[in-house]
């Protein structure tokens, strides 16, 4: 055993499936992705985040459950984010 939770890359093994964020105007975001000045990209790791969705399989999903949990996130390795539906907003209404 690697001694890391979930036996995966350092970041997830040490810190759990943490939410990430990046300013779209700054590195490492692609230059052509900054459609909105001051925009922020959030990443919410789901099951099997170390592989592409086409490569995810039941074994990977079990080993890498992601950070989505029900209720208030605890910050524990596999409970770092949640959501609740709040309705819809049309971009035309903004």
């Amino acid at each position: 055993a690697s001694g890391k939770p979930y036996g995966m890359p350092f970041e997830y093994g040490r810190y759990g499936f943490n939410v990430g964020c990046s300013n779209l105007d700054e590195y490492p975001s692609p230059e052509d992705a900054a459609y909105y000045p001051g925009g922020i990209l959030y990443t919410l790791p789901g099951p099997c985040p170390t592989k592409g969705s086409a490569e995810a399989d039941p074994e990977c999903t079990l080993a890498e459950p992601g950070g989505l949990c029900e209720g208030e996130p605890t910050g524990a390795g596999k409970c770092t984010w949640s959501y609740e539906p709040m309705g819809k907003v049309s971009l035309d209404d903004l």
Side-chain angles (χ1 to χ4, degrees):
S2 68
K4 299 177 189 175
Y6 314 114
M8 64 185 60
F10 173 78
E11 291 83 6
Y12 291 130
R14 183 161 185 185
Y15 301 110
F17 298 94
N18 53 317
V19 174
C21 66
S22 177
N23 292 322
L24 291 177
D25 297 336
E26 300 173 8
Y27 178 84
S29 297
E31 290 179 25
D32 60 350
Y35 300 114
Y36 300 98
I40 298 175
L41 170 70
Y42 293 94
T43 56
L44 305 170
C48 202
T50 61
K51 295 185 177 184
S53 58
E55 299 172 323
D57 56 37
E59 183 178 315
C60 181
T61 300
L62 183 62
E64 301 177 21
L68 175 61
C69 57
E70 292 185 25
E72 185 80 18
T74 64
K78 60 182 183 177
C79 185
T80 57
W81 64 276
S82 66
Y83 72 94
E84 58 183 88
M86 300 298 290
K88 296 179 182 180
V89 175
S90 169
L91 291 178
D92 292 334
D93 293 338
L94 296 178

